[in-house]
Coordinates of all heavy atoms in Angstrom, one line a residue:
M1 N 0.8 -1.2 0.0 CA 0.0 0.0 0.0 C 0.9 1.3 0.0 O 2.0 1.2 0.4 CB -0.9 0.0 1.2 CG -0.2 0.2 2.5 SD -1.3 0.1 3.9 CE -1.6 -1.6 4.0
R2 N 0.3 2.3 -0.4 CA 1.0 3.6 -0.5 C 0.1 4.7 -0.1 O -1.1 4.7 -0.3 CB 1.7 3.8 -1.8 CG 0.7 3.9 -2.9 CD 1.5 3.6 -4.3 NE 0.5 3.5 -5.4 CZ 0.0 4.5 -6.1 NH1 0.4 5.7 -5.9 NH2 -0.9 4.3 -7.0
I3 N 0.8 5.8 0.5 CA 0.0 6.9 0.9 C -0.1 7.9 -0.3 O 0.9 8.3 -0.9 CB 0.7 7.6 2.1 CG1 0.7 6.7 3.3 CG2 0.0 9.0 2.4 CD1 1.5 7.3 4.5
L4 N -1.3 8.2 -0.7 CA -1.5 9.2 -1.8 C -1.5 10.6 -1.3 O -1.1 11.5 -2.0 CB -2.8 8.8 -2.5 CG -3.0 7.4 -3.1 CD1 -4.4 7.3 -3.6 CD2 -2.0 7.2 -4.2
K5 N -2.1 10.8 -0.1 CA -2.3 12.1 0.4 C -2.4 12.1 2.0 O -3.0 11.1 2.5 CB -3.6 12.7 -0.2 CG -3.8 14.2 0.0 CD -5.0 14.7 -0.8 CE -6.3 14.1 -0.3 NZ -7.5 14.7 -1.0
M6 N -2.0 13.1 2.6 CA -2.2 13.2 4.1 C -2.7 14.6 4.4 O -2.1 15.6 4.0 CB -0.8 13.0 4.8 CG -0.9 13.0 6.3 SD -1.7 11.5 7.0 CE -0.3 10.5 7.2
E7 N -3.8 14.6 5.0 CA -4.5 15.9 5.2 C -5.2 16.0 6.5 O -5.9 15.0 6.9 CB -5.6 16.0 4.0 CG -6.3 17.3 4.0 CD -7.4 17.3 2.9 OE1 -7.7 16.3 2.4 OE2 -8.0 18.4 2.7
T8 N -4.9 17.1 7.2 CA -5.6 17.3 8.5 C -7.0 17.9 8.2 O -7.1 18.9 7.6 CB -4.8 18.2 9.4 OG1 -3.6 17.6 9.7 CG2 -5.6 18.4 10.7
K9 N -8.0 17.2 8.7 CA -9.4 17.6 8.4 C -10.4 17.0 9.4 O -10.0 16.2 10.2 CB -9.8 17.3 7.0 CG -9.8 15.8 6.7 CD -10.3 15.6 5.3 CE -10.5 14.1 5.0 NZ -11.1 13.8 3.7
D10 N -11.6 17.4 9.3 CA -12.6 16.8 10.1 C -12.9 15.4 9.6 O -13.4 15.2 8.5 CB -13.9 17.6 10.1 CG -13.8 18.9 10.8 OD1 -13.0 19.0 11.8 OD2 -14.4 19.9 10.4
C11 N -12.5 14.4 10.3 CA -12.6 13.0 9.9 C -14.0 12.6 9.8 O -14.8 12.7 10.7 CB -11.8 12.1 10.8 SG -12.0 10.4 10.4
P12 N -14.5 12.1 8.6 CA -15.9 11.7 8.5 C -16.3 10.5 9.3 O -17.4 10.2 9.5 CB -16.0 11.5 7.0 CG -14.6 11.1 6.5 CD -13.7 11.9 7.4
H13 N -15.3 9.8 9.7 CA -15.6 8.6 10.5 C -15.7 8.8 12.0 O -16.7 8.5 12.6 CB -14.5 7.5 10.2 CG -14.8 6.3 11.0 ND1 -15.9 5.5 10.8 CD2 -14.1 5.7 12.0 CE1 -15.9 4.5 11.7 NE2 -14.8 4.6 12.4
C14 N -14.7 9.4 12.6 CA -14.8 9.6 14.0 C -15.2 11.0 14.4 O -15.3 11.3 15.6 CB -13.4 9.3 14.7 SG -12.1 10.4 14.3
T15 N -15.4 11.9 13.4 CA -15.8 13.3 13.6 C -14.8 14.2 14.3 O -15.2 15.3 14.6 CB -17.2 13.4 14.2 OG1 -17.1 13.0 15.6 CG2 -18.2 12.5 13.5
R16 N -13.7 13.7 14.6 CA -12.6 14.5 15.2 C -11.7 15.1 14.1 O -11.7 14.5 13.0 CB -11.8 13.8 16.2 CG -12.5 13.4 17.4 CD -11.6 12.7 18.4 NE -12.2 11.5 19.0 CZ -11.5 10.7 19.8 NH1 -10.3 10.9 20.1 NH2 -12.1 9.6 20.3
Q17 N -11.0 16.1 14.4 CA -10.1 16.7 13.4 C -8.7 16.1 13.7 O -8.1 16.2 14.8 CB -10.0 18.2 13.5 CG -9.2 18.8 12.3 CD -9.2 20.3 12.3 OE1 -8.4 20.9 13.0 NE2 -10.1 20.9 11.6
H18 N -8.2 15.4 12.7 CA -6.8 14.8 12.8 C -6.3 14.5 11.4 O -7.1 14.6 10.4 CB -6.9 13.5 13.6 CG -7.7 12.4 13.0 ND1 -7.2 11.6 12.0 CD2 -9.0 12.0 13.2 CE1 -8.1 10.7 11.7 NE2 -9.2 11.0 12.4
P19 N -5.0 14.2 11.2 CA -4.5 13.9 9.9 C -5.2 12.6 9.4 O -5.1 11.6 10.0 CB -3.0 13.7 10.1 CG -2.7 14.3 11.4 CD -4.0 14.2 12.2
V20 N -5.7 12.7 8.2 CA -6.4 11.5 7.6 C -5.6 11.2 6.3 O -5.3 12.0 5.5 CB -7.8 11.9 7.2 CG1 -8.5 10.7 6.4 CG2 -8.7 12.2 8.4
A21 N -5.1 10.0 6.3 CA -4.3 9.5 5.1 C -5.2 8.9 4.0 O -6.1 8.2 4.4 CB -3.3 8.5 5.6
T22 N -5.0 9.3 2.8 CA -5.6 8.6 1.7 C -4.7 7.6 1.2 O -3.5 7.9 0.8 CB -6.0 9.6 0.6 OG1 -6.8 10.7 1.1 CG2 -6.7 9.0 -0.6
M23 N -5.1 6.3 1.2 CA -4.2 5.2 0.9 C -4.7 4.4 -0.3 O -5.9 4.3 -0.5 CB -4.1 4.2 2.1 CG -3.9 4.9 3.4 SD -2.2 5.3 3.7 CE -1.6 3.7 4.1
A24 N -3.7 4.0 -1.1 CA -4.0 3.0 -2.2 C -3.6 1.7 -1.7 O -2.4 1.5 -1.3 CB -3.3 3.4 -3.4
V25 N -4.5 0.7 -1.7 CA -4.2 -0.6 -1.3 C -4.6 -1.6 -2.3 O -5.6 -1.5 -3.1 CB -5.0 -1.0 0.0 CG1 -4.5 -0.1 1.2 CG2 -6.5 -0.8 -0.1
E26 N -3.8 -2.7 -2.4 CA -4.1 -3.8 -3.3 C -5.3 -4.6 -2.8 O -5.2 -5.0 -1.6 CB -2.9 -4.7 -3.5 CG -3.0 -5.8 -4.5 CD -2.9 -5.2 -6.0 OE1 -2.6 -4.1 -6.2 OE2 -3.2 -6.0 -6.9
E27 N -6.3 -4.8 -3.6 CA -7.5 -5.5 -3.1 C -7.8 -6.6 -4.1 O -7.7 -6.5 -5.3 CB -8.7 -4.5 -3.1 CG -9.8 -5.0 -2.3 CD -10.6 -3.9 -1.5 OE1 -10.1 -3.5 -0.4 OE2 -11.6 -3.4 -2.0
T28 N -8.3 -7.7 -3.5 CA -8.8 -8.8 -4.3 C -10.2 -9.1 -4.1 O -10.7 -9.1 -2.9 CB -7.9 -10.1 -4.0 OG1 -6.5 -9.8 -4.2 CG2 -8.3 -11.2 -4.9
N29 N -11.0 -9.3 -5.1 CA -12.4 -9.4 -5.0 C -12.9 -10.4 -6.1 O -12.2 -10.7 -7.0 CB -13.1 -8.1 -5.2 CG -13.9 -7.7 -4.0 OD1 -14.6 -8.6 -3.4 ND2 -13.9 -6.5 -3.6
I30 N -14.1 -10.9 -5.9 CA -14.7 -11.8 -6.9 C -15.8 -10.9 -7.5 O -16.7 -10.4 -6.9 CB -15.4 -13.0 -6.2 CG1 -14.4 -13.8 -5.4 CG2 -16.0 -13.9 -7.3 CD1 -13.3 -14.5 -6.3
Y31 N -15.7 -10.7 -8.9 CA -16.7 -10.0 -9.6 C -17.1 -10.8 -10.8 O -16.3 -11.3 -11.6 CB -16.1 -8.7 -10.1 CG -17.0 -7.8 -10.9 CD1 -18.1 -7.2 -10.3 CD2 -16.9 -7.7 -12.3 CE1 -19.0 -6.4 -11.0 CE2 -17.7 -6.9 -13.0 CZ -18.8 -6.2 -12.4 OH -19.6 -5.4 -13.1
K32 N -18.4 -11.1 -10.8 CA -19.0 -12.0 -11.8 C -18.3 -13.3 -11.9 O -18.1 -13.8 -13.0 CB -19.0 -11.3 -13.2 CG -19.9 -10.1 -13.3 CD -20.0 -9.6 -14.8 CE -20.9 -8.4 -14.9 NZ -20.9 -7.8 -16.3
G33 N -18.0 -13.8 -10.7 CA -17.3 -15.1 -10.7 C -15.8 -15.1 -11.0 O -15.2 -16.2 -11.1
V34 N -15.3 -14.0 -11.3 CA -13.9 -13.9 -11.7 C -13.1 -13.2 -10.6 O -13.5 -12.1 -10.1 CB -13.7 -13.1 -13.0 CG1 -12.2 -12.9 -13.3 CG2 -14.4 -13.8 -14.1
K35 N -12.0 -13.8 -10.2 CA -11.2 -13.2 -9.1 C -10.3 -12.1 -9.7 O -9.6 -12.3 -10.7 CB -10.2 -14.3 -8.5 CG -9.5 -13.8 -7.3 CD -8.7 -14.9 -6.7 CE -7.9 -14.5 -5.5 NZ -6.9 -15.5 -5.0
V36 N -10.5 -10.9 -9.2 CA -9.8 -9.7 -9.8 C -9.0 -9.0 -8.7 O -9.4 -9.0 -7.5 CB -10.7 -8.7 -10.4 CG1 -11.4 -9.3 -11.7 CG2 -11.8 -8.3 -9.5
S37 N -7.8 -8.5 -9.1 CA -7.0 -7.7 -8.2 C -6.9 -6.3 -8.8 O -6.7 -6.2 -10.0 CB -5.6 -8.4 -8.0 OG -5.7 -9.6 -7.4
Y38 N -7.0 -5.4 -7.9 CA -6.9 -4.0 -8.4 C -6.5 -3.1 -7.2 O -6.5 -3.5 -6.0 CB -8.3 -3.6 -8.9 CG -9.4 -3.7 -7.9 CD1 -9.8 -2.7 -7.1 CD2 -10.0 -5.0 -7.7 CE1 -10.8 -2.8 -6.2 CE2 -11.0 -5.1 -6.8 CZ -11.4 -4.0 -6.0 OH -12.4 -4.2 -5.1
E39 N -6.2 -1.9 -7.5 CA -5.8 -0.9 -6.5 C -7.0 -0.1 -6.1 O -7.7 0.6 -6.9 CB -4.7 0.0 -7.1 CG -4.0 0.8 -6.0 CD -2.8 1.5 -6.5 OE1 -3.0 2.5 -7.3 OE2 -1.7 1.2 -6.2
A40 N -7.4 -0.2 -4.8 CA -8.5 0.5 -4.3 C -8.0 1.6 -3.4 O -6.9 1.6 -2.8 CB -9.4 -0.5 -3.4
V41 N -8.8 2.7 -3.3 CA -8.5 3.8 -2.5 C -9.3 4.0 -1.3 O -10.6 3.8 -1.4 CB -8.6 5.1 -3.4 CG1 -8.2 6.4 -2.6 CG2 -7.7 5.0 -4.6
Y42 N -8.7 4.2 -0.1 CA -9.4 4.3 1.1 C -8.9 5.5 1.9 O -7.7 5.8 1.8 CB -9.3 3.1 2.0 CG -10.1 1.9 1.4 CD1 -9.4 0.9 0.7 CD2 -11.4 1.8 1.6 CE1 -10.0 -0.2 0.2 CE2 -12.1 0.7 1.1 CZ -11.4 -0.3 0.4 OH -12.1 -1.4 -0.2
E43 N -9.7 6.0 2.8 CA -9.2 6.9 3.8 C -8.9 6.1 5.1 O -9.7 5.2 5.4 CB -10.2 8.0 4.1 CG -10.2 9.1 3.1 CD -11.0 10.3 3.5 OE1 -11.8 10.2 4.5 OE2 -10.9 11.4 2.8
Y44 N -7.8 6.4 5.8 CA -7.5 5.7 7.0 C -7.7 6.6 8.2 O -7.1 7.7 8.3 CB -6.1 5.2 6.9 CG -5.6 4.6 8.2 CD1 -6.2 3.4 8.6 CD2 -4.7 5.2 9.0 CE1 -5.8 2.8 9.8 CE2 -4.3 4.6 10.2 CZ -4.8 3.4 10.6 OH -4.4 2.8 11.8
C45 N -8.5 6.2 9.1 CA -8.7 6.9 10.4 C -7.8 6.3 11.5 O -8.1 5.1 11.9 CB -10.2 6.9 10.8 SG -10.5 7.5 12.4
G46 N -6.8 7.0 11.9 CA -5.9 6.4 12.9 C -6.5 6.4 14.3 O -6.0 5.7 15.2
V47 N -7.5 7.2 14.5 CA -8.2 7.2 15.8 C -9.0 5.9 16.0 O -8.9 5.3 17.1 CB -9.1 8.5 15.9 CG1 -9.9 8.4 17.3 CG2 -8.3 9.7 15.8
A48 N -9.8 5.6 15.0 CA -10.6 4.3 15.1 C -9.8 3.1 14.6 O -10.3 2.0 14.7 CB -11.9 4.5 14.4
D49 N -8.7 3.4 13.9 CA -7.9 2.3 13.3 C -8.8 1.6 12.3 O -8.9 0.4 12.3 CB -7.3 1.4 14.3 CG -6.3 0.4 13.7 OD1 -5.7 0.8 12.6 OD2 -6.1 -0.7 14.2
E50 N -9.4 2.3 11.4 CA -10.3 1.7 10.4 C -10.1 2.3 9.0 O -9.7 3.5 8.9 CB -11.7 1.8 10.9 CG -12.1 0.9 12.0 CD -13.6 0.9 12.3 OE1 -14.4 1.4 11.5 OE2 -13.9 0.6 13.5
W51 N -10.4 1.6 8.0 CA -10.4 2.0 6.6 C -11.8 2.3 6.1 O -12.7 1.6 6.4 CB -9.8 0.9 5.7 CG -8.4 0.5 6.2 CD1 -8.2 -0.4 7.1 CD2 -7.2 0.9 5.6 NE1 -6.8 -0.6 7.2 CE2 -6.2 0.2 6.3 CE3 -6.8 1.8 4.6 CZ2 -4.8 0.4 6.0 CZ3 -5.5 2.0 4.4 CH2 -4.5 1.3 5.1
H52 N -11.9 3.4 5.4 CA -13.2 3.7 4.8 C -13.1 4.3 3.4 O -12.2 5.1 3.2 CB -13.9 4.8 5.7 CG -14.3 4.2 7.1 ND1 -15.5 3.5 7.2 CD2 -13.6 4.1 8.2 CE1 -15.5 3.1 8.5 NE2 -14.4 3.5 9.1
A53 N -14.0 3.8 2.6 CA -14.2 4.5 1.3 C -15.3 5.5 1.4 O -16.4 5.1 1.9 CB -14.5 3.4 0.2
V54 N -15.0 6.7 1.1 CA -16.0 7.8 1.2 C -16.2 8.4 -0.1 O -15.3 8.6 -0.9 CB -15.6 8.8 2.3 CG1 -15.6 8.2 3.7 CG2 -14.2 9.4 2.0
G55 N -17.4 8.9 -0.3 CA -17.8 9.7 -1.5 C -17.4 9.0 -2.8 O -17.8 7.9 -3.1
D56 N -16.5 9.8 -3.5 CA -16.1 9.3 -4.9 C -15.3 8.0 -4.8 O -15.2 7.3 -5.8 CB -15.3 10.4 -5.6 CG -16.1 11.6 -6.0 OD1 -17.3 11.5 -5.9 OD2 -15.5 12.6 -6.3
M57 N -14.7 7.7 -3.7 CA -13.9 6.5 -3.6 C -14.7 5.2 -3.8 O -14.2 4.3 -4.4 CB -13.2 6.4 -2.2 CG -12.2 7.5 -1.9 SD -11.5 7.4 -0.3 CE -10.5 8.9 -0.3
I58 N -15.9 5.3 -3.4 CA -16.7 4.1 -3.5 C -17.0 3.7 -5.0 O -16.7 2.6 -5.4 CB -18.1 4.3 -2.8 CG1 -17.9 4.5 -1.3 CG2 -19.1 3.1 -3.1 CD1 -19.1 5.0 -0.5
S59 N -17.3 4.8 -5.8 CA -17.6 4.5 -7.2 C -16.2 4.3 -7.9 O -16.2 3.6 -8.9 CB -18.4 5.7 -7.8 OG -17.8 6.9 -7.5
Q60 N -15.2 5.0 -7.4 CA -13.9 4.9 -8.1 C -13.4 3.5 -7.9 O -12.8 2.9 -8.8 CB -12.9 5.9 -7.4 CG -11.6 5.9 -8.1 CD -10.6 6.9 -7.4 OE1 -11.0 7.9 -6.8 NE2 -9.3 6.6 -7.5
N61 N -13.5 2.9 -6.7 CA -13.1 1.6 -6.4 C -13.9 0.6 -7.2 O -13.3 -0.4 -7.7 CB -13.2 1.3 -4.9 CG -12.2 2.1 -4.1 OD1 -11.3 2.7 -4.6 ND2 -12.4 2.1 -2.8
Y62 N -15.1 0.8 -7.4 CA -16.0 0.0 -8.2 C -15.5 -0.1 -9.6 O -15.4 -1.1 -10.2 CB -17.4 0.4 -8.1 CG -18.4 -0.5 -8.8 CD1 -18.8 -1.7 -8.3 CD2 -18.9 -0.1 -10.1 CE1 -19.6 -2.6 -9.0 CE2 -19.7 -0.9 -10.8 CZ -20.1 -2.1 -10.3 OH -20.9 -2.9 -11.0
R63 N -15.2 1.1 -10.1 CA -14.8 1.2 -11.5 C -13.4 0.5 -11.7 O -13.2 -0.2 -12.7 CB -14.6 2.7 -12.0 CG -16.0 3.3 -12.3 CD -15.8 4.6 -13.2 NE -15.0 5.6 -12.4 CZ -15.6 6.5 -11.6 NH1 -16.9 6.5 -11.5 NH2 -14.9 7.4 -11.0
S64 N -12.6 0.6 -10.7 CA -11.3 -0.1 -10.8 C -11.5 -1.6 -10.8 O -10.8 -2.3 -11.5 CB -10.4 0.3 -9.6 OG -10.1 1.6 -9.6
M65 N -12.5 -2.1 -10.0 CA -12.8 -3.5 -10.0 C -13.3 -4.0 -11.4 O -12.9 -5.0 -11.9 CB -13.8 -3.8 -8.9 CG -14.1 -5.3 -8.7 SD -15.2 -5.6 -7.4 CE -16.7 -4.8 -8.0
V66 N -14.2 -3.2 -11.9 CA -14.8 -3.5 -13.2 C -13.7 -3.5 -14.3 O -13.6 -4.4 -15.2 CB -15.9 -2.6 -13.6 CG1 -16.4 -2.8 -15.0 CG2 -17.1 -2.8 -12.6
A67 N -12.8 -2.5 -14.3 CA -11.7 -2.4 -15.2 C -10.8 -3.6 -15.1 O -10.4 -4.2 -16.1 CB -11.0 -1.1 -15.0
A68 N -10.5 -4.1 -13.9 CA -9.7 -5.3 -13.7 C -10.4 -6.5 -14.2 O -9.7 -7.4 -14.8 CB -9.4 -5.4 -12.2
Y69 N -11.7 -6.6 -14.1 CA -12.5 -7.7 -14.6 C -12.4 -7.7 -16.1 O -12.2 -8.8 -16.7 CB -13.9 -7.6 -14.1 CG -14.9 -8.5 -14.9 CD1 -14.9 -9.9 -14.5 CD2 -15.7 -8.0 -15.9 CE1 -15.8 -10.7 -15.2 CE2 -16.5 -8.9 -16.6 CZ -16.6 -10.2 -16.3 OH -17.4 -11.0 -16.9
Q70 N -12.6 -6.6 -16.7 CA -12.6 -6.5 -18.2 C -11.2 -6.9 -18.7 O -11.1 -7.5 -19.8 CB -12.9 -5.1 -18.6 CG -14.4 -4.7 -18.4 CD -14.8 -3.3 -18.7 OE1 -13.9 -2.4 -18.5 NE2 -16.0 -3.0 -19.0
K71 N -10.2 -6.5 -18.0 CA -8.8 -6.9 -18.4 C -8.6 -8.4 -18.3 O -8.0 -9.0 -19.1 CB -7.8 -6.1 -17.5 CG -6.4 -6.0 -18.1 CD -5.6 -5.1 -17.2 CE -4.1 -5.2 -17.7 NZ -3.3 -4.4 -16.7
A72 N -9.2 -8.9 -17.2 CA -9.0 -10.4 -16.9 C -9.7 -11.2 -18.0 O -9.2 -12.3 -18.4 CB -9.5 -10.7 -15.5
V73 N -10.9 -10.8 -18.4 CA -11.7 -11.6 -19.4 C -11.4 -11.2 -20.8 O -12.0 -11.7 -21.8 CB -13.2 -11.5 -19.1 CG1 -13.5 -12.1 -17.7 CG2 -13.7 -10.1 -19.2
G74 N -10.6 -10.1 -21.0 CA -10.2 -9.7 -22.4 C -11.2 -8.8 -23.0 O -11.1 -8.5 -24.2
E75 N -12.1 -8.2 -22.2 CA -13.0 -7.2 -22.8 C -12.3 -5.9 -22.9 O -11.5 -5.6 -22.1 CB -14.2 -7.0 -21.8 CG -15.3 -8.0 -21.9 CD -16.5 -7.6 -21.0 OE1 -16.6 -6.5 -20.6 OE2 -17.2 -8.6 -20.6
T76 N -12.6 -5.2 -24.0 CA -12.0 -3.9 -24.2 C -13.0 -2.8 -23.9 O -14.1 -2.9 -24.4 CB -11.4 -3.7 -25.6 OG1 -12.3 -4.2 -26.5 CG2 -10.1 -4.5 -25.7
A77 N -12.6 -1.9 -23.1 CA -13.6 -0.9 -22.7 C -13.8 0.1 -23.9 O -14.9 0.5 -24.1 CB -13.0 -0.1 -21.5
S78 N -12.8 0.3 -24.7 CA -12.9 1.2 -25.9 C -13.3 0.3 -27.1 O -13.0 -0.9 -27.1 CB -11.7 1.9 -26.1 OG -10.6 1.1 -26.5
A79 N -13.9 0.9 -28.1 CA -14.4 0.2 -29.2 C -13.2 -0.1 -30.2 O -13.3 -0.9 -31.1 CB -15.4 0.9 -29.9
D80 N -12.1 0.5 -29.9 CA -10.9 0.4 -30.8 C -10.4 -1.0 -30.9 O -9.9 -1.5 -30.0 CB -9.8 1.4 -30.3 CG -8.7 1.6 -31.3 OD1 -8.9 1.2 -32.5 OD2 -7.7 2.1 -31.0
G81 N -10.5 -1.6 -32.1 CA -9.9 -2.9 -32.4 C -10.7 -4.0 -31.7 O -10.1 -5.1 -31.5
S82 N -11.9 -3.8 -31.3 CA -12.6 -4.9 -30.6 C -13.1 -5.9 -31.7 O -13.4 -5.6 -32.8 CB -13.8 -4.3 -29.9 OG -14.7 -3.7 -30.8
P83 N -13.2 -7.2 -31.3 CA -13.7 -8.2 -32.2 C -15.1 -7.9 -32.7 O -15.9 -7.3 -31.9 CB -13.7 -9.5 -31.4 CG -13.6 -9.1 -29.9 CD -12.9 -7.7 -30.0
A84 N -15.4 -8.2 -33.9 CA -16.7 -7.9 -34.6 C -17.9 -8.5 -33.8 O -18.8 -7.8 -33.4 CB -16.7 -8.3 -36.0
D85 N -17.8 -9.8 -33.7 CA -18.9 -10.5 -33.1 C -18.4 -11.6 -32.1 O -17.7 -12.5 -32.5 CB -19.8 -11.2 -34.1 CG -21.0 -10.3 -34.6 OD1 -21.6 -9.8 -33.7 OD2 -21.2 -10.2 -35.8
A86 N -18.8 -11.4 -30.9 CA -18.4 -12.5 -29.9 C -19.7 -13.3 -29.6 O -20.6 -12.9 -29.0 CB -18.0 -11.8 -28.6
S87 N -19.6 -14.5 -30.2 CA -20.7 -15.4 -30.0 C -20.5 -16.3 -28.7 O -19.5 -16.7 -28.4 CB -20.9 -16.3 -31.2 OG -19.7 -17.0 -31.5
G88 N -21.6 -16.5 -28.0 CA -21.6 -17.3 -26.8 C -21.5 -16.4 -25.7 O -21.7 -16.7 -24.6
Ligands
LIG101 ZN1 -10.9 9.7 12.4

């Protein structure tokens, strides 16, 4: 994992003001029956010692998971050079 950002602010989790780290962590999940690994982003609350995805992070993490899935199964997100017809 790595620290993307460190910012002192009102922590949305414990509601106190303290440095909140934005962390990128390697995550493994099962999506549509396929095991995918991707980098997810979380805020870390050192007061409660807990990780939380807040706001945009939730949808961002979801998109990262879907992108990892598409990569795993060979789907291309862009139309460029995609196979004409995938039967089955
Ligand atoms: Zn906190």
Side-chain angles (χ1 to χ4, degrees):
M1 69 182 77
R2 60 198 169 90
I3 296 174
L4 300 175
K5 193 171 68 174
M6 182 73 90
E7 186 185 9
T8 298
K9 62 175 184 176
D10 293 327
C11 176
H13 179 61
C14 70
T15 69
R16 290 183 226 176
Q17 190 177 81
H18 66 81
V20 176
T22 303
M23 312 280 283
V25 294
E26 186 75 9
E27 194 146 280
T28 303
N29 239 318
I30 304 291
Y31 180 71
K32 291 186 180 180
V34 177
K35 190 178 177 186
V36 292
S37 294
Y38 56 96
E39 196 171 67
V41 178
Y42 291 100
E43 281 190 348
Y44 174 69
C45 170
V47 175
D49 190 25
E50 284 185 24
W51 303 82
H52 290 275
V54 293
D56 290 347
M57 290 176 187
I58 296 166
S59 53
Q60 186 185 331
N61 291 346
Y62 181 77
R63 280 198 299 272
S64 295
M65 182 177 69
V66 172
Y69 166 80
Q70 288 173 332
K71 200 175 173 183
V73 299
E75 279 181 22
T76 47
S78 68
D80 190 13
S82 62
D85 267 313
S87 56

